[in-house]
Amino acid sequence: METDSMANTGLRRYPSIRDVAKAAGVSYQTVSRVLNDLPDVAPATRTKVLAAVDELGYRRNLTARNLATNRSTTIGIVTDDSPRLGPVSTLMALEKAARQRGSNCSVVTVAEPYADTVPTALRGLEEVGVHGIVVIAPVVSAAAAVRATRVRTPLVLIAAGEDSAPGLLAFAENQELGARIATQHLLRLGHTDIVHVAGSQDWFDGRTRLRGWAAEMREAGLPADRWYESDWTPRFAYDVGKKLVVEGLPTAVFAASDHMALGLLRAFAESGVRVPEDVSVVGYDDAEGSDFYFPPLTTVRQDFMGLATRSLELLDKPTDDPFGDEPPTEPLLQIRQSTARPQR
């Protein structure tokens, strides 16, 4: 019931758990058991309580719940301000995975200088009492700032190829393996002249994908010296494609992202180079629409939801557990029409 002061000020009193109990004709303890999905509640009673929740528009007070249980349900996420597909897709997957486990998210975006913004973000989230923090750190300097900051809150660092340390679990998809899988596919088709258009070497993704391509080439007894460092843009890859046409077309190109593969496809098309008849092209990411490129792009798919779900699970590891490297999630090759056996 609203008080006179509430009515006079126009404030609305939101329904409480006791209001739900009264409407459903049960005790508030029973309502609590239903809301927390605990056993030993008759199906008919559970249905009656949930109907009262819907009718009253009851919403749980998470702040009060956290105080009562001494355990926050909020996950802190610190992310780089990059608009690139990897960080953005990881953030979206983390938010979705958090909702699925009944958690809220508090997201903080950081930018250069990371030595200033990262500690501020981590300590701010720690001060508000989040359950744990996941840091999306695609850039090497951002991860370095995370390692230099000490927090007591459970912390997971998403950074490809990074190692764990005391108080910090590093986790990522095995992008070096993804690059190896892409290169293996081209080698098995019979290609021996494979160029790599790499991502920025300031990024872990760029470094690990270059490392995977180079390792696979060397193991096949082939040189790994023909590669180009890019800024991840289709424009850069377009320029590389034009250069390859002039200086000597390889039989295959592995691009470190689908967006760069798109730039290559345009450059080749404008130059009269056929894909895959004259040159095969492989991308990375399986970005939305890559199956509608012309031709549909062979690419490496990242499991962003698997990465996000496991990252959140790692926050629940007991603090007295010895830290160790977690096995990374594995990517999957999507074979489409942009690759074929070499015809020259």
Side-chain angles (χ1 to χ4, degrees):
M1 173 182 249
E2 293 184 355
T3 65
D4 291 340
S5 61
M6 284 181 175
N8 292 336
T9 58
L11 294 175
R12 176 191 173 197
R13 186 181 74 79
Y14 290 94
S16 69
I17 190 171
R18 294 184 183 277
D19 294 325
V20 174
K22 182 178 180 180
V26 299
S27 68
Y28 75 87
Q29 292 95 336
T30 298
V31 176
S32 178
R33 295 184 69 81
V34 171
L35 294 175
N36 288 289
D37 199 25
L38 297 176
D40 301 328
V41 178
T45 301
R46 187 180 300 273
T47 299
K48 187 164 51 174
V49 169
L50 293 176
V53 167
D54 289 340
E55 182 180 351
L56 295 175
Y58 171 76
R59 296 293 182 270
R60 281 188 286 184
N61 186 330
L62 293 178
T63 300
R65 177 187 172 190
N66 293 341
L67 288 171
T69 62
N70 197 31
R71 186 169 188 260
S72 174
T73 60
T74 300
I75 303 298
I77 301 175
V78 177
T79 183
D80 181 82
D81 66 348
S82 168
R84 304 292 175 205
L85 184 141
V88 171
S89 296
T90 303
L91 173 60
M92 293 174 62
L94 281 169
E95 290 186 306
K96 182 177 181 180
R99 288 196 304 272
Q100 289 177 347
R101 59 183 261 158
S103 299
N104 293 320
C105 290
S106 180
V107 180
V108 181
T109 301
V110 295
E112 291 281 15
Y114 295 117
D116 295 332
T117 59
V118 167
T120 299
L122 293 177
R123 289 166 183 156
L125 289 170
E126 186 174 48
E127 286 174 4
V128 300
V130 296
H131 170 64
I133 303 172
V134 180
V135 182
I136 304 168
V139 182
V140 174
S141 54
V146 174
R147 291 186 179 278
T149 306
R150 290 291 173 260
V151 294
R152 296 180 300 275
T153 304
L155 181 65
V156 171
L157 173 68
I158 297 180
E162 280 286 87
D163 295 326
S164 297
L168 182 151
L169 272 169
F171 187 62
E173 183 165 88
N174 193 336
Q175 297 193 32
E176 182 173 341
L177 174 62
R180 279 179 168 268
I181 290 171
T183 309
Q184 285 174 7
H185 170 66
L186 293 171
L187 290 169
R188 288 169 180 167
L189 286 174
H191 295 279
T192 55
D193 185 7
I194 305 170
V195 166
H196 180 45
V197 182
S200 167
Q201 296 303 287
D202 291 332
W203 283 53
F204 291 109
D205 297 1
R207 292 184 177 191
T208 53
R209 296 174 195 182
L210 171 61
R211 190 161 60 238
W213 165 82
E216 203 62 36
M217 293 289 284
R218 293 190 185 104
E219 288 183 13
L222 299 170
D225 55 0
R226 198 177 181 193
W227 63 276
Y228 301 83
E229 180 181 355
S230 80
D231 59 1
W232 296 106
T233 64
R235 175 81 234 187
F236 183 96
Y238 172 86
D239 291 339
V240 170
K242 288 289 190 178
K243 184 176 183 179
L244 292 176
V245 171
V246 173
E247 296 182 355
L249 195 67
T251 63
V253 182
F254 166 42
S257 78
D258 289 351
H259 285 165
M260 289 196 294
L262 183 61
L264 289 169
L265 292 177
R266 176 172 174 178
F268 292 151
E270 289 181 354
S271 303
V273 174
R274 301 167 301 164
V275 177
E277 293 84 357
D278 300 323
V279 59
S280 288
V281 176
V282 177
Y284 202 110
D285 289 331
D286 196 23
E288 182 178 4
S290 60
D291 51 339
F292 280 89
Y293 287 9
F294 188 77
L297 185 66
T298 295
T299 183
V300 179
R301 174 185 293 176
Q302 297 194 72
D303 181 9
F304 290 111
M305 274 305 298
L307 172 67
T309 300
R310 185 62 184 136
S311 296
L312 296 182
E313 290 172 351
L314 291 175
L315 293 176
D316 296 328
K317 290 189 67 172
T319 56
D320 57 352
D321 269 9
F323 77 91
D325 290 331
E326 288 291 324
T329 59
E330 294 191 1
L332 178 68
L333 183 68
Q334 298 292 306
I335 300 176
R336 300 189 180 113
Q337 286 74 55
S338 66
T339 53
R341 293 187 176 277
Q343 296 186 11
R344 55 186 173 85

